[in-house]
Amino acid sequence: MSNNYRADFPILQRTTNEKRLVYLDNGATTQKPLSVIRAVEQYYHAFNANPHRGAYELSVKATEIYENTRDKVREFLGAAKSSEIIFTKNATESLNLVAYSYGMNFIQAGDEIVLSIAEHHSNLVPWQQVAKAKGAVLKYLYVSDDGTLPEAELEQKITAKTRLVAITHVSNVLGIINPIKRITELAHAVGAVVVVDGAQSVPHLPVNVQELDADFFVFSGHKMLAPMGIGVLYGKEELLEAMPPFLFGGDMIEYVEEQETTFAPLPAKFEAGTQNVGGAMGLSAAIDYLQAIGLPTIEEAEKDLVRYAIAELRKLPYITLYGCGDLVDKTGVISFNVQDIHPHDVSSILDADGIAIRAGHHCAHPLMKYLGVNATCRASLYFYNTRSDIDALVDSLSRVRGVLGYGLK
């Protein structure tokens, strides 16, 4: 593997209207290296069978691939046991599993659920539903002007009434890295559990769930080079043991009688039905690829790139940046607006230059309202991006206002 990471990604070799693809929407999904594509292809070409169900060689091999990936994820996250790793289809399903299996059974009337205002809808809407169903109270942690969570907010909002804190590790809008270890310390001191949305952290920086002391931690494979349709829920064993199943059906049972059923032990209890073994094999290959580079190397490369990008964007006087104060605790997510131009128009104009960014509310309506905007543009970086990608973005942005008949200042 060379440092020319782009060469490993077939889609990054394509051109649009003779323009090379500048892909800056990695917060939504990442592109796939050839090794991951080939791993998925190999599974369906040579190993496709239903895991855990057959006593024949092909099924045994499919089971081996699936369970080996589980153990690889355990090691990748620093979890204590493979039984604490539950496969889902994405972070959203993982969060819903926790909300319905833990929240609906262990949150009571009057309990407080603490969220940050910067949560993705997938870590907000499920807790709204739990609060409504159980008579619990939602409390929000509000970010400062630079997007960080003030210590005073944490100390004032996490109280003796708090039973659960649901928090993003990294904001998908602002790219701010939240102080998860400090949050778990405060929450555990009052007997609350902590649910961490790691969808935007796991692909970009080293994560150890035991060091963070997270009770639950979730992520999506497709945001870290793996295929869509495979995700992970980590949960502490004692909590998962106490929770009822989320889905019912085949492969999550031990015995079924006419009137009663006993459920399989962890992790099978939460994995009803035929699982996405091809996706698991792709996830395994993605972890191999990332570890070959090294997450600390990826983190440092992205920090260098985001510093460069923000410095260049600040040269354009009509750009407003959000959450770009202190760059120490920030990943490569940059939200901005262009004066007088709607983000959707900005995105369309950049697309004509082969540049892919995100425009909209980014599944974070409450944060948008808090920031006083309806939408933003978002450029989200990954290790295969380069300074030339940033130069292309800035060059295209320098012409956006002119395209729509506005002056450049």
Side-chain angles (χ1 to χ4, degrees), residues 29 69 137 179 186 206 286 342 350 353 395:
T29 195
T69 301
V137 177
L186 291 170
H342 193 281
L350 265 58
D353 288 336
D395 180 62

Side-chain angles (χ1 to χ4, degrees), residues 215-233:
D215 298 295
F216 300 100
F217 190 99
V218 311
F219 69 90
S220 294
H222 73 93
K223 295 182 189 290
M224 52 170 287
L225 310 182
M228 294 181 179
I230 187 76
V232 169
L233 163 64

Side-chain angles (χ1 to χ4, degrees), residues 40-60:
V40 177
E41 180 184 33
Q42 182 185 23
Y43 173 75
Y44 288 108
H45 182 77
F47 305 124
N48 183 46
N50 208 315
H52 305 139
R53 310 293 181 94
Y56 54 91
E57 182 180 359
L58 209 57
S59 179
V60 171

Side-chain angles (χ1 to χ4, degrees), residues 25-291:
D25 194 20
N26 295 287
T29 195
T30 55
Q31 299 303 336
K32 318 308 174 194
L34 192 57
S35 60
V36 169
I37 295 169
R38 285 176 173 166
V40 177
E41 180 184 33
Q42 182 185 23
Y43 173 75
Y44 288 108
H45 182 77
F47 305 124
N48 183 46
N50 208 315
H52 305 139
R53 310 293 181 94
Y56 54 91
E57 182 180 359
L58 209 57
S59 179
V60 171
K61 181 62 178 178
T63 301
E64 180 183 293
I65 291 168
Y66 190 66
E67 295 303 329
N68 284 349
T69 301
R70 191 191 309 278
D71 195 55
K72 186 174 289 188
V73 171
R74 177 204 61 76
E75 184 178 5
F76 184 67
L77 290 180
K81 299 179 180 180
S82 294
S83 59
E84 295 178 319
I85 304 300
I86 310 299
F87 285 122
T88 62
K89 70 171 181 279
N90 48 37
T92 298
E93 183 174 83
S94 297
L95 290 164
N96 275 269
L97 192 162
V98 178
Y100 283 94
S101 188
Y102 183 86
M104 290 294 189
N105 290 281
F106 294 96
I107 300 296
Q108 305 299 326
D111 289 347
E112 293 182 350
I113 300 170
V114 176
L115 316 172
S116 87
I117 195 65
E119 295 310 306
H120 188 282
H121 294 163
S122 61
N123 199 30
L124 191 156
V125 177
W127 302 113
Q128 285 182 339
Q129 305 311 304
V130 171
K132 288 178 180 179
K134 305 298 291 187
V137 177
L138 289 181
K139 290 172 65 176
Y140 285 90
L141 303 165
Y142 294 102
V143 299
S144 58
D145 290 342
D146 64 1
T148 59
L149 284 172
E151 175 72 13
E153 276 290 285
L154 302 178
E155 293 180 350
Q156 292 170 13
K157 300 290 178 64
I158 300 175
T159 70
K161 292 184 178 180
T162 305
R163 288 295 170 265
L164 186 141
V165 179
I167 188 79
T168 183
H169 195 176
V170 173
S171 167
N172 74 303
V173 176
L174 303 175
I176 300 298
I177 305 171
N178 284 324
I180 299 301
K181 194 167 184 178
R182 175 59 176 157
I183 291 169
T184 59
E185 288 172 355
L186 291 170
H188 291 162
V190 296
V193 303
V194 180
V195 182
V196 181
D197 177 359
Q200 299 292 339
S201 64
V202 167
H204 303 281
L205 50 92
V207 169
N208 186 298
V209 292
Q210 291 191 85
E211 289 180 3
L212 295 174
D213 202 16
D215 298 295
F216 300 100
F217 190 99
V218 311
F219 69 90
S220 294
H222 73 93
K223 295 182 189 290
M224 52 170 287
L225 310 182
M228 294 181 179
I230 187 76
V232 169
L233 163 64
Y234 157 81
K236 289 181 178 177
E237 184 179 52
E238 62 270 23
L239 294 173
L240 293 173
E241 290 281 13
M243 293 158 52
F246 177 52
L247 298 173
F248 301 91
D251 217 30
M252 52 76 63
I253 53 86
E254 192 169 42
Y255 297 103
V256 177
E257 305 291 343
E258 288 190 8
Q259 303 298 328
E260 296 292 337
T261 295
T262 55
F263 303 121
L266 294 173
K269 181 172 75 169
F270 293 106
E271 294 182 356
T274 299
Q275 297 300 304
N276 182 5
V277 187
M281 191 162 175
L283 177 59
S284 178
I287 291 173
D288 289 343
Y289 187 96
L290 292 173
Q291 290 184 323

Side-chain angles (χ1 to χ4, degrees), residues 6 19-24 308-309 312-313 316 349-357 385-400:
R6 290 179 65 91
K19 300 282 187 179
R20 75 179 182 93
L21 174 62
V22 177
Y23 185 77
L24 299 174
Y308 178 74
E312 292 300 302
L313 287 168
L316 303 179
I349 294 169
L350 265 58
D351 183 50
D353 288 336
I355 301 168
I357 68 164
N385 290 122
T386 63
R387 287 195 173 196
S388 65
D389 291 339
I390 302 304
D391 293 340
L393 170 68
V394 174
D395 180 62
S396 189
L397 284 171
S398 71
R399 298 191 302 273
V400 164

Side-chain angles (χ1 to χ4, degrees), residues 337-384:
N337 273 325
V338 178
Q339 183 183 344
D340 300 320
I341 313 298
H342 193 281
H344 290 164
D345 293 326
V346 175
S347 179
S348 295
I349 294 169
L350 265 58
D351 183 50
D353 288 336
I355 301 168
I357 68 164
R358 190 68 172 264
H361 54 70
H362 316 298
C363 296
H365 270 138
L367 179 60
M368 293 292 109
K369 185 175 182 179
Y370 182 74
L371 294 174
V373 297
N374 292 321
T376 69
C377 305
R378 184 187 71 182
S380 46
L381 314 174
Y382 209 16
F383 64 89
Y384 47 61

